[in-house]
Amino acid sequence: MAVERTLSIIKPDAVAKNVIGEIYSRFESNGLKIIAARMLHLSQADAEGFYAVHRNRPFFNDLVKFMISGPVMIQVLEGEDAIRKNRELMGATDPKQAGKGTIRADFADSIDANAVHGSDAVETAAVEIAYYFPEFNIYSR
Ligand code: RTP
Ligand code: MG
């Protein structure tokens, strides 16, 4: 299987719950390495740009408002099959549908405040990683 990189965001609800470390442990114990990380309080323009693919969706304004409601922790994860593996660890978008033991089942409150973001494909991962990290700030080991 290919070694991939994916962009992960721990959203404001999970940062406020003080579970960054618990979520990082899940990544690390499942073979995903944290190879870049930064905490940011996104501006409206940052969040709108990041979620531009969703700009015509009915939930866009609520999503942007939520993502700028507090600091987020943003990281690049690297590992075999990292994109799919991260989304498996995250669980379904709606925490009510998320499988037992997933990050969203354990830490998310609602479909809006759903604890984490993860890239959904190789192409979107590349775009999302470039949005927050210049290559020289990524430390693949
Ligand atoms: P993400 O992008 O955050 O990893 O989540 P996802 O792929 O599971 O979900 P996506 O369809 O890409 O939607 C992005 C985020 O928008 C919010 N959302 N709200 N109210 C709604 O029906 C609705 N649908 C999506 C969620 O916070 C979702 O994570
Ligand atoms: Mg998505």
Side-chain angles (χ1 to χ4, degrees):
M1 228 167 287
V3 173
E4 294 173 342
R5 291 176 177 182
T6 190
L7 189 86
S8 157
I9 302 179
I10 301 177
K11 296 185 178 183
D13 58 321
V15 172
K17 281 185 184 165
N18 212 21
V19 292
I20 293 171
E22 289 202 44
I23 294 173
Y24 271 25
S25 292
R26 292 179 186 211
F27 296 150
E28 293 184 332
S29 61
N30 286 281
L32 296 174
K33 290 177 182 171
I34 296 152
I35 62 167
R38 59 196 296 214
M39 182 176 273
L40 286 178
H41 194 145
L42 302 180
S43 67
Q44 175 131 347
D46 289 334
E48 287 178 354
F50 183 75
Y51 282 118
V53 291
H54 293 315
R55 70 182 167 277
N56 294 320
R57 308 281 285 278
F59 57 80
F60 180 73
N61 288 338
D62 286 344
L63 174 61
V64 168
K65 206 173 190 188
F66 171 66
M67 289 300 286
I68 68 175
S69 65
V72 295
M73 192 72 201
I74 309 172
Q75 43 283 325
V76 179
L77 307 177
E78 185 178 75
E80 288 207 355
D81 202 17
I83 296 165
R84 191 197 55 78
K85 194 179 280 179
N86 180 42
R87 288 182 70 86
E88 197 174 290
L89 295 174
M90 289 162 57
T93 310
D94 180 352
K96 292 199 286 287
Q97 314 292 326
K100 201 163 177 282
T102 61
I103 294 168
R104 283 168 168 162
D106 291 344
F107 302 121
D109 297 320
S110 67
I111 195 163
D112 296 307
N114 66 357
V116 278
H117 163 83
S119 308
D120 59 12
V122 173
E123 303 73 34
T124 45
V127 172
E128 292 179 1
I129 290 168
Y131 195 83
Y132 289 116
F133 298 97
E135 186 62 28
F136 58 81
N137 279 333
I138 297 178
Y139 302 98
S140 187
R141 293 149 288 161

